[in-house]
Amino acid sequence: MRSLIDILELSVEEIDELIATANGIMADPHKYSEKCSGKKLATLFFEPSTRTRLSFEAAMYELGGHVIGFSSANNSSASKGESVADTAKTVSCYADIIAMRHPKEGAPLVAAMNASVPVINAGDGGHNHPTQTLADLITIFKEKGRFNDLTIGFCGDLKFGRTVHSLIQALSRYNNIKFILISPEELRLPDYIIRDTLEKKELKYIETTSLETAMPELDVLYMTRVQRERFFSEEEYLRLKDSYILDTDKLSNAKKDLCIMHPLPRVNEISVSVDDDPRACYFKQVLYGKYMRMALIMKLLGV
Ligand code: CP
């Protein structure tokens, strides 16, 4: 039995296979419509979500399976003090696979250690978000046709942005990737990722506060939201929240084939006027995420 807690648990070959499966589903969804017949997915979301929870649920329904679960800690016995370990043991009696989001880093790992069914990390605090990374990877592959030889800008909250952390780790395994890390000083990428991933693997990276300066060089721009829910101080959040706002003017010196991504939800960091630009890929990312989650559910269930 296998869970997915960290994106690095999947080899690059397995990621290629998941992308191939997702493309196969997109080409012929009917062929997959009974693959998980009789199986149940439990979505245990202790933190709000639109895309991740609903795409997992849509994925399981489109595979012919069923879904149970809760969408907030208040609707579960966690509100009475039940532990993550006991929750995982309990839900294992009802479901064949679990997708868990939790505000505490490491909670899905604890669930996986106690569950008797596969557990998928659907986002744990400011740590990791491996299934968003699967959505991000297929988007990059479909838009750019490769994972090697890319300059990728990550912009916004790189400190708490779990999607950024997982995607940098995933991309660190490809060749000739240059990372441009664009953030205010207060929201820099955590030292442990710089040290244990970028520097350990001798990857090319620069840190800057200027999106405008970085723009002409970028093949991919990964925008992120400054996340109010991760701040201890409302004042600090208000000071930093609009550090970067991508608008059509800022794209004037960008490459013609730039791929603009965002894990969403967005607040102000991408102007809605950018949505009509053919380089805006963030709603494609949403759709691809469902197909990658379908491929992942099948893989972990062995169907
Ligand atoms: N990208 C993402 O995780 O979105 P949700 O918080 O809506 O699930």
Side-chain angles (χ1 to χ4, degrees), residues 133 136-137 140 154 163-172 222:
T133 304
D136 300 341
L137 288 171
I140 292 171
F154 288 89
T163 65
V164 170
H165 305 164
S166 288
L167 184 55
I168 287 176
Q169 285 168 342
L171 290 170
S172 73
Y222 195 96

Side-chain angles (χ1 to χ4, degrees), residues 5-6 15-16 30 34 47 56 75 93 96 100 102 114 173 177 180-181 231 241 244 249 269 271 288 293-294 300-301:
I5 303 301
D6 186 311
I15 286 171
D16 289 347
H30 186 68
E34 298 296 330
E47 201 184 51
F56 264 116
N75 293 336
C93 300
D96 301 285
M100 176 184 281
H102 203 288
N114 287 278
R173 299 184 292 187
I177 300 280
I180 302 191
L181 307 172
F231 279 79
K241 72 183 177 70
Y244 301 98
D249 285 349
E269 59 278 2
S271 159
Y288 296 148
R293 290 182 175 105
M294 289 173 79
L300 297 183
L301 287 177

Side-chain angles (χ1 to χ4, degrees), residues 39 55 67 72 78 90 98-99 119 153 181 197 199 210 215 239 256 266 276-277 282 286 295:
K39 302 284 187 191
S55 69
V67 178
S72 84
T90 300
I98 294 170
V119 175
L181 307 172
T197 301
E199 291 187 346
S210 172
M215 188 67 86
R239 190 169 63 78
K256 295 280 176 265
R266 76 168 148 193
D276 295 329
D277 190 302
Y282 27 93
V286 173

